[in-house]
Amino acid sequence: DEEILAFNDGFWMDDALWIHDWAWAIVSALFLATILLSVARISLLGFLVLRSRLHTPTTDPGFRPFVSVLIPAYNEDQVISKTLDALLRSDYSDYEVVVIDDGSQDSTRGVVERYSAHSPRVRCLSKPNGGKFSALNLALEQARGDYVVTIDADTLVRPTTVAALVAPFSDPAVDAVCGNVKVGNPRNLLTKFQSVEYITTQNFDRRAFEAMNCISVVPGATGAWKKSAVLHIGGYSGETLTEDADLTLTLLEAGGKVVYAPDALSSTEAPETLRDLYKQRFRWSFGIYQSLWKHRRSFFKGSLGWMALPNMLIFQLFWPMLSPIGDLVFLYALFTGNAHAIVVGYVTFLIMDAVASVVAYSLDKDPYRGMWPILIQRFYYRQFMYVVTFKTVLAALAGRRHTWNKL
């Protein structure tokens, strides 16, 4: 009996070791595959950024069309004055400002009407609350310009921003222009993390994807559109929580051209608490997944289907789901000291990521001293984003509807 028990113990121990070895091999292979994929992506983006820098399009300085600046507003009486003050300091001469009060319950309408009483540029439209997409569609119908600029009610533009957004339209092929949005309130560690994120991911990616005409989001905070092109595809849709991403993808599906204007600078207010940041990123992620599903038939069709949509699917859905596993594998390998390739791969990725971040700051002409949060961002902020992704995926699988979540 003792010999049988010893044999069984040895058998199960060998079986457990076999399972452990195979599980470690699979997880290690998956980890190294994601690292290689990330390094390949960084390298490709760097190549595309260099390519776009070598082929800077020329614009016609005499191209100065009349422009309508659209600002959807809901309960924005605390910030709308600063936004309007910044717009009215613009050095662009031919423009109007159309504020759409989307059923605000505060004094937003009264604040805007005081501006319109003193400035012929400013108009205020009012409607029952129906969401940002409906406010923008109303503004498109009422806009007098053939080109429209959209900004959020908490966004401050520079005097040169409107001109920088309009200039690329001197090329008749251009249908939309993506502006350069920065965090305007880097007052605490959380907003500084977001500031780094805007520069090193969003703006850097747009520089790269412009070369392939596959910028996936013209942000509502600072973007410009050829009005006829937007009306041709049916205007803004309320089918997703990210109406700007949905509209951009629809425009690309219709053969439109989207470019990036790095000099079209603006500052937006970033969430200052984890609760508000969670609400914002949950909405963004949920809306992106909705947009991916809505435009799924465009996969593997043109640069949209081969670049933009796969990038969104892999790096905004699968990558955040797998990254926590990678972090755990790295820690396990680090403490056991038996996986040299994993440690080398992880460190290589960190170095590549840091180099890309330096390039991004250089291109945006931001001071390098603002980069220091990168040193700790990967070990705190990105883990928070992983949690947001997991909860968003669960909410999407549950099939529940979600609203805009006003901050």
Side-chain angles (χ1 to χ4, degrees):
D1 291 342
E2 290 179 358
E3 290 179 355
I4 292 173
L5 289 173
F7 173 80
N8 286 336
D9 288 344
F11 175 81
W12 287 113
M13 185 174 294
D14 290 342
D15 199 37
L17 288 173
W18 180 84
I19 293 173
H20 171 273
D21 291 343
W22 269 101
W24 175 248
I26 292 172
V27 171
S28 299
L30 186 62
F31 171 80
L32 292 174
T34 57
I35 290 294
L36 290 173
L37 181 63
S38 299
V39 171
R41 180 182 186 271
I42 293 172
S43 301
L44 176 61
L45 292 181
F47 169 76
L48 292 176
V49 167
L50 177 61
R51 178 181 170 185
S52 66
R53 293 278 291 176
L54 295 176
H55 298 87
T56 304
T58 57
T59 58
D60 180 5
F63 183 76
R64 306 282 288 189
F66 185 78
V67 175
S68 296
V69 182
L70 315 181
I71 310 175
Y74 174 68
N75 292 348
E76 303 285 5
D77 62 358
Q78 299 296 311
V79 294
I80 193 69
S81 292
K82 290 183 178 179
T83 300
L84 291 173
D85 288 340
L87 261 176
L88 293 175
R89 288 194 292 268
S90 175
D91 61 9
Y92 195 83
S93 56
D94 299 320
Y95 72 100
E96 65 170 347
V97 180
V98 183
V99 181
I100 314 92
D101 172 35
D102 189 35
S104 296
Q105 299 173 353
D106 62 3
S107 59
T108 296
R109 179 177 177 178
V111 172
V112 178
E113 287 180 342
R114 286 197 292 273
Y115 276 84
S116 61
H118 294 90
S119 174
R121 292 191 187 279
V122 181
R123 284 195 289 152
C124 183
L125 305 178
S126 294
K127 60 180 287 296
N129 182 257
K132 190 175 181 180
F133 80 95
S134 65
L136 287 166
N137 282 334
L138 173 63
L140 281 171
E141 295 173 3
Q142 300 290 326
R144 295 198 291 259
D146 292 330
Y147 301 91
V148 297
V149 168
T150 63
I151 66 170
D152 287 341
D154 60 354
T155 299
L156 304 181
V157 299
R158 310 284 176 86
T160 58
T161 299
V162 174
L165 285 169
V166 174
F169 288 116
S170 61
D171 177 358
V174 173
D175 296 296
V177 181
C178 177
N180 187 342
V181 184
K182 296 181 181 294
V183 171
N185 58 324
R187 288 191 285 264
N188 61 26
L189 186 59
L190 192 62
T191 53
K192 288 177 181 177
F193 282 150
Q194 294 171 77
S195 178
V196 169
E197 180 188 25
Y198 274 49
I199 296 170
T200 60
T201 57
Q202 296 184 28
N203 292 339
F204 187 73
D205 288 4
R206 286 164 183 157
R207 290 177 186 273
F209 291 142
E210 180 188 31
M212 302 292 292
N213 189 32
C214 57
I215 294 175
S216 57
V217 183
V218 174
T222 311
W225 305 82
K226 187 183 292 182
K227 186 172 72 172
S228 60
V230 176
L231 294 176
H232 178 71
I233 59 176
Y236 287 88
S237 168
E239 295 177 338
T240 75
L241 292 182
T242 48
E243 71 293 322
D244 47 5
D246 187 10
L247 183 64
T248 307
L249 295 176
T250 304
L251 182 67
L252 291 173
E253 283 178 332
K257 182 177 181 180
V258 181
V259 300
Y260 179 52
D263 294 330
L265 296 166
S266 67
S267 301
T268 193
E269 185 175 10
E272 297 187 354
T273 67
L274 282 175
R275 179 176 178 273
D276 283 346
L277 180 62
Y278 171 81
K279 289 168 63 177
Q280 182 199 64
R281 295 311 171 92
F282 181 93
R283 176 177 64 81
W284 285 8
S285 297
F286 198 88
I288 289 297
Y289 301 159
Q290 288 177 313
S291 297
L292 278 169
W293 181 253
K294 179 178 178 179
H295 299 278
R296 64 191 183 278
R297 292 183 179 85
S298 292
F299 269 93
F300 311 119
K301 296 178 182 177
S303 59
L304 171 66
W306 283 104
M307 288 289 292
L309 294 179
N311 177 74
M312 294 167 69
L313 179 65
I314 294 172
F315 291 100
Q316 296 188 43
L317 177 58
F318 293 147
W319 172 253
M321 299 283 284
L322 294 175
S323 289
I325 299 175
D327 292 342
L328 292 174
V329 169
F330 171 72
L331 290 174
Y332 179 80
L334 194 64
F335 284 106
T336 57
N338 62 353
H340 179 72
I342 286 180
V343 175
V344 171
Y346 197 87
V347 171
T348 300
F349 168 68
L350 290 178
I351 292 173
M352 292 281 290
D353 198 21
V355 170
S357 299
V358 170
V359 174
Y361 265 79
S362 175
L363 291 172
D364 260 26
K365 300 175 183 175
D366 274 75
Y368 295 118
R369 64 177 179 273
M371 288 182 55
W372 70 264
I374 292 174
L375 300 173
I376 56 176
Q377 183 188 52
R378 171 162 295 280
F379 305 101
Y380 168 68
Y381 180 73
R382 296 193 184 186
Q383 278 67 28
F384 174 77
M385 292 297 121
Y386 301 157
V387 173
V388 174
T389 299
F390 274 106
K391 299 201 72 171
T392 307
V393 169
L394 291 176
L397 292 174
R400 292 191 298 270
R401 296 286 295 176
H402 292 270
T403 56
W404 224 78
N405 282 331
K406 169 73 178 173
L407 298 182

